[in-house]
Structure formats: structure tokens, C-alpha cells
Amino acid sequence: MVKIPKSHPRYWSLYYREKIIEGMERGMTAKAGLIAHGRGEAFDYLIGEKTIEPAERAMKAAVAKFLLAKHPVISVNGNVSALVPKETIELAKAFGAKLEINLFYRTEERVKAIAEELRKHDPDIEILGINPTKRIPNLEHDRGKVDENGIWRADVVLVPLEDGDRTEALVGMGKFVVTVDLNPLSRSARMADITIVDNIVRAYPRMVELAREMKGLPREELERIVEGYDNGKTLSDVLLHIKNRLTKLAREGIWRRKEL
Ligand code: ATP
Ligand code: MG
């Protein structure tokens, strides 16, 4: 990995960019994953590169839903395994969820490289999606492959950084779908039951924390959190956050300003 000076004003952004490049070099991340990462970064700039209130609200509802789930599954792709492998495993444990490798550009080498990365963090972790035998209806061959013991029978699925077409197909199968996506306008963001508009590098650690905090809550309380949640309002609040932030920046002026 290229050494980035800690003093660089955009150190963390460059750090995660290097992680994605490293993920590609090690066979986990697809080339298209690099482009998807760039699109995410652009939206993170607009949001302000921090977890905003609508994302925190969505995370609470998502955690409540996962703690109530019968067969919860967390999907892992090439970008996720490059950015947050350790946190993915922590989240699966905190939720009592299964992990499934689920790729848009599926190749056996990529599946193997991702499984290896996850096993580096926990050699005993159960990983699904290595030999998927089921297909999501209405998605052509490789794009639709899922594990019979994973996404196929899941009631609640977390599909971060997911393509919109596949998100929609999962909703069509009757799954309760949670996504993490920095672009509030993407098809995934619009189709999911709960959309967490935040960078996955901030969202996953926060969700692990929330899961540990909320684990002791009575079921009725968790149910109340899920029922009171409105994803349409969350997405509108994200758009308003971006609009208001840009309006404020435009009024204040940004020319030669060091911090935004
Ligand atoms: P859609 O298919 O949902 O319309 P898309 O085609 O623009 O979206 P995909 O490549 O299918 O994009 O999905 C990847 C999504 O993940 C993008 O919306 C991108 O903004 C988002 N994304 C990329 N990196 C991150 C990240 N680190 N954290 C959260 N979201 C991210
Ligand atoms: Mg897409």
C-alpha cells in the first residue's frame, strides 16, 4: 500500500482509496468497484463526510429489525471486504446473522479472495455464498446466484453498496432489505426498506455499537422502533440536509476556505 502522509488534509479519504486499490490488486474488488467507490466519495463530500441524523435514525431502525429477525443475513461484496472486513464480522456476530458473499461480477477467484480476507479476521467464521445453488427470480444467471441457507431463506438482509436492480429483486422476493448507500438518489437507496445514507466505514462501527446497546431492549420496544420508522422521510431529510448545507456554504463562501 502506498504510504500516505498523516498530515495530508484528506488523509482518511486517501487511506480508504488505497484500501480499495489494494482490494482490487488482491483479487477481491472488481474494476467497476473502483468507480462505484468514487461515486460514493462524491456524495460523501455533499453530505459533509460525517454521520448525519437521518442516517443515525435509519441505523437504529435497522439494528432493531435485525435483532428481531429470524434468519438475518449480511451480504459481503468486493468493496465491503476491502473497506470493512473486521467490522462486517463484528456486525454479523452482534446481530446473530449469517454472512454471505454475494457479487455482481461473480468469479470464483473473487469469491475465494474475499473468503480468505474474512478468515484472516476470524478463521472459524461461517461463510455462505461459496457454492450458491439458488437464483433470485428475474435476475439473469451469475447476478442472481444466492445461497440456500443464506439470502434464499433470509427474512432480513443487509446489502450494502448494492446495485439497484438486485435490491429491487430482493424486495420483490419479499425480503426486508436494508442498504448502506451514500447516494440517496440511487435505485438501491430508493428501493430498500431501510436506507442508511452514510459511508460504510462510519456506519458499520456505529451499528456494532448500537447492536450492543440495543440487545437488551424488550421485543416490544424494538418493534416500536421499526414500526415508527419512515424510510421515505429519511430520504427526504437527507436531500434537505444536502440542499441546506450547500445553501449555507454558498452564502458563507468557500473560496480559500480550509475547512468546510
Ligand atoms: P443503483 O444501481 O442503486 O442506481 P449505481 O449503479 O450508481 O446505483 P452501484 O455500483 O450499482 O451504483 O452501487 C454502489 C453504490 O454504493 C453507489 O450508489 C455508491 O454511491 C455507493 N457507495 C460506494 N462506496 C460507498 C461507501 N464507502 N459507503 C457507502 N456507499 C458507497
Ligand atoms: Mg447499479
Side-chain angles (χ1 to χ4, degrees), residues 39 104 162-166 186-188:
R39 178 171 291 171
F104 189 88
E162 181 57 284
D163 169 61
D165 198 33
R166 297 210 307 175
S186 78
R187 292 196 76 245
S188 274

mmCIF file with all atom_site columns, all heavy atoms in Angstrom, residues 39 104 162-166 186-188, ligand 2:
data_model
loop_
_atom_site.group_PDB
_atom_site.id
_atom_site.type_symbol
_atom_site.label_atom_id
_atom_site.label_alt_id
_atom_site.label_comp_id
_atom_site.label_asym_id
_atom_site.label_entity_id
_atom_site.label_seq_id
_atom_site.pdbx_PDB_ins_code
_atom_site.Cartn_x
_atom_site.Cartn_y
_atom_site.Cartn_z
_atom_site.occupancy
_atom_site.B_iso_or_equiv
_atom_site.pdbx_formal_charge
_atom_site.auth_seq_id
_atom_site.auth_comp_id
_atom_site.auth_asym_id
_atom_site.auth_atom_id
_atom_site.pdbx_PDB_model_num
ATOM   1  N  N   . ARG A 1 39  ? -17.997 7.271   -6.881  1.00 0.00 ? 39  ARG A N   1
ATOM   2  C  CA  . ARG A 1 39  ? -19.337 7.863   -6.815  1.00 0.00 ? 39  ARG A CA  1
ATOM   3  C  C   . ARG A 1 39  ? -19.749 8.062   -5.348  1.00 0.00 ? 39  ARG A C   1
ATOM   4  O  O   . ARG A 1 39  ? -20.287 9.098   -4.992  1.00 0.00 ? 39  ARG A O   1
ATOM   5  C  CB  . ARG A 1 39  ? -20.351 6.968   -7.522  1.00 0.00 ? 39  ARG A CB  1
ATOM   6  C  CG  . ARG A 1 39  ? -21.750 7.518   -7.446  1.00 0.00 ? 39  ARG A CG  1
ATOM   7  C  CD  . ARG A 1 39  ? -22.694 6.759   -8.324  1.00 0.00 ? 39  ARG A CD  1
ATOM   8  N  NE  . ARG A 1 39  ? -22.394 6.992   -9.722  1.00 0.00 ? 39  ARG A NE  1
ATOM   9  C  CZ  . ARG A 1 39  ? -22.940 6.332   -10.731 1.00 0.00 ? 39  ARG A CZ  1
ATOM   10 N  NH1 . ARG A 1 39  ? -23.808 5.384   -10.501 1.00 0.00 ? 39  ARG A NH1 1
ATOM   11 N  NH2 . ARG A 1 39  ? -22.640 6.606   -11.968 1.00 0.00 ? 39  ARG A NH2 1
ATOM   12 N  N   . PHE A 1 104 ? -21.864 -8.954  -7.736  1.00 0.00 ? 104 PHE A N   1
ATOM   13 C  CA  . PHE A 1 104 ? -22.464 -8.545  -9.007  1.00 0.00 ? 104 PHE A CA  1
ATOM   14 C  C   . PHE A 1 104 ? -21.631 -9.123  -10.156 1.00 0.00 ? 104 PHE A C   1
ATOM   15 O  O   . PHE A 1 104 ? -22.164 -9.679  -11.104 1.00 0.00 ? 104 PHE A O   1
ATOM   16 C  CB  . PHE A 1 104 ? -22.491 -7.010  -9.067  1.00 0.00 ? 104 PHE A CB  1
ATOM   17 C  CG  . PHE A 1 104 ? -23.277 -6.462  -10.215 1.00 0.00 ? 104 PHE A CG  1
ATOM   18 C  CD1 . PHE A 1 104 ? -24.637 -6.247  -10.077 1.00 0.00 ? 104 PHE A CD1 1
ATOM   19 C  CD2 . PHE A 1 104 ? -22.671 -6.154  -11.418 1.00 0.00 ? 104 PHE A CD2 1
ATOM   20 C  CE1 . PHE A 1 104 ? -25.380 -5.731  -11.133 1.00 0.00 ? 104 PHE A CE1 1
ATOM   21 C  CE2 . PHE A 1 104 ? -23.402 -5.640  -12.472 1.00 0.00 ? 104 PHE A CE2 1
ATOM   22 C  CZ  . PHE A 1 104 ? -24.761 -5.429  -12.329 1.00 0.00 ? 104 PHE A CZ  1
ATOM   23 N  N   . GLU A 1 162 ? -24.948 -1.916  -2.835  1.00 0.00 ? 162 GLU A N   1
ATOM   24 C  CA  . GLU A 1 162 ? -25.568 -2.890  -3.749  1.00 0.00 ? 162 GLU A CA  1
ATOM   25 C  C   . GLU A 1 162 ? -26.118 -2.202  -4.994  1.00 0.00 ? 162 GLU A C   1
ATOM   26 O  O   . GLU A 1 162 ? -26.473 -1.019  -4.963  1.00 0.00 ? 162 GLU A O   1
ATOM   27 C  CB  . GLU A 1 162 ? -26.683 -3.627  -2.993  1.00 0.00 ? 162 GLU A CB  1
ATOM   28 C  CG  . GLU A 1 162 ? -27.428 -4.687  -3.764  1.00 0.00 ? 162 GLU A CG  1
ATOM   29 C  CD  . GLU A 1 162 ? -26.523 -5.783  -4.321  1.00 0.00 ? 162 GLU A CD  1
ATOM   30 O  OE1 . GLU A 1 162 ? -25.838 -5.529  -5.331  1.00 0.00 ? 162 GLU A OE1 1
ATOM   31 O  OE2 . GLU A 1 162 ? -26.516 -6.883  -3.750  1.00 0.00 ? 162 GLU A OE2 1
ATOM   32 N  N   . ASP A 1 163 ? -26.182 -2.972  -6.069  1.00 0.00 ? 163 ASP A N   1
ATOM   33 C  CA  . ASP A 1 163 ? -26.780 -2.476  -7.303  1.00 0.00 ? 163 ASP A CA  1
ATOM   34 C  C   . ASP A 1 163 ? -28.305 -2.409  -7.151  1.00 0.00 ? 163 ASP A C   1
ATOM   35 O  O   . ASP A 1 163 ? -28.914 -3.282  -6.523  1.00 0.00 ? 163 ASP A O   1
ATOM   36 C  CB  . ASP A 1 163 ? -26.408 -3.431  -8.435  1.00 0.00 ? 163 ASP A CB  1
ATOM   37 C  CG  . ASP A 1 163 ? -27.208 -3.121  -9.679  1.00 0.00 ? 163 ASP A CG  1
ATOM   38 O  OD1 . ASP A 1 163 ? -27.080 -1.999  -10.185 1.00 0.00 ? 163 ASP A OD1 1
ATOM   39 O  OD2 . ASP A 1 163 ? -27.975 -3.997  -10.114 1.00 0.00 ? 163 ASP A OD2 1
ATOM   40 N  N   . GLY A 1 164 ? -28.896 -1.392  -7.763  1.00 0.00 ? 164 GLY A N   1
ATOM   41 C  CA  . GLY A 1 164 ? -30.323 -1.142  -7.603  1.00 0.00 ? 164 GLY A CA  1
ATOM   42 C  C   . GLY A 1 164 ? -31.223 -2.248  -8.125  1.00 0.00 ? 164 GLY A C   1
ATOM   43 O  O   . GLY A 1 164 ? -32.265 -2.570  -7.533  1.00 0.00 ? 164 GLY A O   1
ATOM   44 N  N   . ASP A 1 165 ? -30.809 -2.843  -9.217  1.00 0.00 ? 165 ASP A N   1
ATOM   45 C  CA  . ASP A 1 165 ? -31.600 -3.894  -9.844  1.00 0.00 ? 165 ASP A CA  1
ATOM   46 C  C   . ASP A 1 165 ? -31.731 -5.107  -8.915  1.00 0.00 ? 165 ASP A C   1
ATOM   47 O  O   . ASP A 1 165 ? -32.798 -5.712  -8.774  1.00 0.00 ? 165 ASP A O   1
ATOM   48 C  CB  . ASP A 1 165 ? -30.860 -4.290  -11.130 1.00 0.00 ? 165 ASP A CB  1
ATOM   49 C  CG  . ASP A 1 165 ? -31.747 -5.041  -12.089 1.00 0.00 ? 165 ASP A CG  1
ATOM   50 O  OD1 . ASP A 1 165 ? -32.952 -4.741  -12.107 1.00 0.00 ? 165 ASP A OD1 1
ATOM   51 O  OD2 . ASP A 1 165 ? -31.229 -5.911  -12.804 1.00 0.00 ? 165 ASP A OD2 1
ATOM   52 N  N   . ARG A 1 166 ? -30.618 -5.434  -8.268  1.00 0.00 ? 166 ARG A N   1
ATOM   53 C  CA  . ARG A 1 166 ? -30.631 -6.589  -7.350  1.00 0.00 ? 166 ARG A CA  1
ATOM   54 C  C   . ARG A 1 166 ? -31.394 -6.253  -6.066  1.00 0.00 ? 166 ARG A C   1
ATOM   55 O  O   . ARG A 1 166 ? -32.092 -7.095  -5.520  1.00 0.00 ? 166 ARG A O   1
ATOM   56 C  CB  . ARG A 1 166 ? -29.210 -7.029  -7.047  1.00 0.00 ? 166 ARG A CB  1
ATOM   57 C  CG  . ARG A 1 166 ? -28.502 -7.496  -8.307  1.00 0.00 ? 166 ARG A CG  1
ATOM   58 C  CD  . ARG A 1 166 ? -27.486 -8.540  -8.039  1.00 0.00 ? 166 ARG A CD  1
ATOM   59 N  NE  . ARG A 1 166 ? -26.530 -8.147  -7.015  1.00 0.00 ? 166 ARG A NE  1
ATOM   60 C  CZ  . ARG A 1 166 ? -25.607 -8.971  -6.552  1.00 0.00 ? 166 ARG A CZ  1
ATOM   61 N  NH1 . ARG A 1 166 ? -25.539 -10.209 -6.987  1.00 0.00 ? 166 ARG A NH1 1
ATOM   62 N  NH2 . ARG A 1 166 ? -24.762 -8.556  -5.649  1.00 0.00 ? 166 ARG A NH2 1
ATOM   63 N  N   . SER A 1 186 ? -29.782 6.839   -5.601  1.00 0.00 ? 186 SER A N   1
ATOM   64 C  CA  . SER A 1 186 ? -29.571 5.582   -6.332  1.00 0.00 ? 186 SER A CA  1
ATOM   65 C  C   . SER A 1 186 ? -30.841 4.737   -6.280  1.00 0.00 ? 186 SER A C   1
ATOM   66 O  O   . SER A 1 186 ? -31.707 4.932   -5.421  1.00 0.00 ? 186 SER A O   1
ATOM   67 C  CB  . SER A 1 186 ? -28.406 4.801   -5.733  1.00 0.00 ? 186 SER A CB  1
ATOM   68 O  OG  . SER A 1 186 ? -28.814 4.151   -4.547  1.00 0.00 ? 186 SER A OG  1
ATOM   69 N  N   . ARG A 1 187 ? -30.921 3.781   -7.194  1.00 0.00 ? 187 ARG A N   1
ATOM   70 C  CA  . ARG A 1 187 ? -32.097 2.903   -7.191  1.00 0.00 ? 187 ARG A CA  1
ATOM   71 C  C   . ARG A 1 187 ? -32.124 2.074   -5.914  1.00 0.00 ? 187 ARG A C   1
ATOM   72 O  O   . ARG A 1 187 ? -33.186 1.865   -5.340  1.00 0.00 ? 187 ARG A O   1
ATOM   73 C  CB  . ARG A 1 187 ? -32.106 2.004   -8.430  1.00 0.00 ? 187 ARG A CB  1
ATOM   74 C  CG  . ARG A 1 187 ? -32.346 2.805   -9.691  1.00 0.00 ? 187 ARG A CG  1
ATOM   75 C  CD  . ARG A 1 187 ? -32.748 1.929   -10.858 1.00 0.00 ? 187 ARG A CD  1
ATOM   76 N  NE  . ARG A 1 187 ? -34.126 1.505   -10.755 1.00 0.00 ? 187 ARG A NE  1
ATOM   77 C  CZ  . ARG A 1 187 ? -34.531 0.259   -10.588 1.00 0.00 ? 187 ARG A CZ  1
ATOM   78 N  NH1 . ARG A 1 187 ? -33.661 -0.712  -10.487 1.00 0.00 ? 187 ARG A NH1 1
ATOM   79 N  NH2 . ARG A 1 187 ? -35.799 -0.030  -10.509 1.00 0.00 ? 187 ARG A NH2 1
ATOM   80 N  N   . SER A 1 188 ? -30.955 1.618   -5.477  1.00 0.00 ? 188 SER A N   1
ATOM   81 C  CA  . SER A 1 188 ? -30.897 0.855   -4.221  1.00 0.00 ? 188 SER A CA  1
ATOM   82 C  C   . SER A 1 188 ? -31.476 1.665   -3.066  1.00 0.00 ? 188 SER A C   1
ATOM   83 O  O   . SER A 1 188 ? -32.291 1.169   -2.294  1.00 0.00 ? 188 SER A O   1
ATOM   84 C  CB  . SER A 1 188 ? -29.453 0.503   -3.860  1.00 0.00 ? 188 SER A CB  1
ATOM   85 O  OG  . SER A 1 188 ? -29.079 -0.666  -4.492  1.00 0.00 ? 188 SER A OG  1
HETATM 86 MG MG  . MG  B 2 .   ? -26.211 -0.049  -10.315 1.00 0.00 ? 2   MG  B MG  1
#
